[in-house]
Amino acid sequence: MSKTYNIAVVPGDGIGNEIVPEGYRVLEAVAKKHDFSITSETFNWGAKYYLEKGKFLPDNGLDSLKKFDAVYFGSVGLPAVDDTLPAKDYTFKVRTNFNQYVNYRPVRTYPGVTRPLRSEKHIDFVIIRENVEGEFVQMGGQYLPDSDNGMGIDTSVFTRKGIERVAHYAFKLARKRRNKVTHITKSNTLINSLTYWDRVIKEVATEYPDVEHDQMYIDNCTANFVLKPEVFDVVLTTNLFGDILSDLGGAIMGSLGLGGSGNINPEKEFPSMFEPIHGSAPDIAGRNIANPYGQIWSAAIMLEHLGEVEAADSIMKAIDKSTQQGVLTVDLGGKAGTKEVADAVIKNL
Ligand code: NAD
């Protein structure tokens, strides 16, 4: 009997409402081809929901999501809403409550897409970003913010458990790829938190003697993403560094709109959540010009996580064929609309 996957669909705000339905169309098409079924429920949560209800998702929202096999997400945030809320009240809430401690963000060359780099060398690496602690735990406060002596503090948290589990994930992933982990740090200046990060990763590395391991400072890493991105295989980074590096990863592919990702709970105790690397892009929303390739790639990453590896591979091949044929959105120098891209991918499946 063919399998059925039950997916929670959360388009969110802005272009999420345009690219998520197109990505979902691709999912349905690939399911038909590979003999499995997708059922879904759509949740209209996010900043627009907040404007109506005063919260990003209902109080029982996480409980509602728990019963699904995965969450297919766009992005949240609108100019009319305080921008400290989308991460705190939706994205981080799901990531932390569902223990999605791995943020899987691949970077690669798309055929037929002009890249901003001089080098024509093939790029294919994965950023593994620690996703639930580090610099983004939002522990801190402001003291007398309106006075001359006002101050603001955010504390970073790096735990042995948190570092070990994401490091194991990175080394295991490297074994399935080109056997190399580069861990990103800044321990020459953050001499408490990031020396601990380095130490625990090095301890984990001893369990993988077959995997090449080196460490690189974040400043040097940003330069190398531009100058010689082909040297990377698995890039293991902290939450903040990974957030920034993955936008740079999108840019060196040719556009932020090209990046897919997964917020993964490797033990599958909770559903994982799949989303493009970019935000809700309110500056281009509602015009059918948003690039959906990253959202479609996120569907492939989701299927791979669910065990439908061949279907995931079909999507990637259909994406490559579409970009090769010149089906490119405005951000890539083309003229194709959002729907046209999804049509092309479905045709090429
Ligand atoms: P953004 O990623 O939304 O946009 C940055 C630039 O890239 C914009 O010029 C936009 O037009 C362009 N862009 C992004 N995605 C594109 C696509 N698919 N096709 C074509 N162009 C694309 O980042 P921002 O402007 O800094 O943030 C906008 C909102 O998104 C904010 O409210 C922010 O908080 C939110 N945000 C949410 C998430 C999330 O939900 N995970 C992530 C990042 C930002």
Side-chain angles (χ1 to χ4, degrees), residues 15 73 75-77 83 256-257 275 278-284 290-291 331:
I15 60 168
F73 172 48
S75 60
V76 282
D83 216 24
L256 269 190
E275 58 173 316
H278 56 76
S280 54
D283 54 334
I284 59 161
N291 181 343
D331 53 312

Side-chain angles (χ1 to χ4, degrees), residues 103-159:
N103 196 334
Y104 176 95
R105 299 191 155 197
V107 177
R108 67 180 196 119
T109 322
Y110 276 81
V113 170
T114 309
R115 289 183 281 149
L117 303 183
R118 270 177 309 179
S119 165
E120 288 299 314
K121 284 187 184 149
H122 185 61
I123 305 174
D124 175 18
F125 63 88
V126 180
I127 298 169
I128 295 299
R129 160 182 168 192
E130 199 295 317
N131 209 29
V132 295
E133 51 179 50
E135 308 88 340
F136 284 176
V137 290
Q138 303 196 328
M139 276 170 60
Q142 293 185 353
Y143 180 64
L144 300 175
D146 299 323
S147 79
D148 289 346
N149 297 325
M151 59 187 281
I153 296 176
D154 269 303
T155 305
S156 298
V157 172
F158 288 86
T159 66

Side-chain angles (χ1 to χ4, degrees), residues 52-109:
E52 291 155 17
K53 314 254 183 194
K55 46 185 98 162
F56 270 66
L57 73 171
D59 294 337
N60 65 352
L62 291 175
D63 282 335
S64 308
L65 291 184
K66 259 186 206 156
K67 60 176 191 280
F68 290 89
D69 293 309
V71 182
Y72 190 52
F73 172 48
S75 60
V76 282
L78 282 178
V81 173
D82 172 0
D83 216 24
T84 63
L85 298 177
K88 179 164 81 70
D89 286 356
Y90 179 77
T91 324
F92 290 179
K93 219 179 215 175
V94 178
R95 289 174 182 171
T96 52
N97 280 286
F98 288 175
N99 213 8
Q100 295 166 348
Y101 61 84
V102 170
N103 196 334
Y104 176 95
R105 299 191 155 197
V107 177
R108 67 180 196 119
T109 322

Side-chain angles (χ1 to χ4, degrees), residues 3-9 24 37-41 43 64-72 271 302 306:
K3 277 194 174 163
T4 300
Y5 300 99
N6 195 15
I7 307 297
V9 178
Y24 190 78
S37 319
I38 302 274
T39 54
S40 70
E41 191 177 337
F43 298 93
S64 308
L65 291 184
K66 259 186 206 156
K67 60 176 191 280
F68 290 89
D69 293 309
V71 182
Y72 190 52
M302 177 168 82
L306 293 172

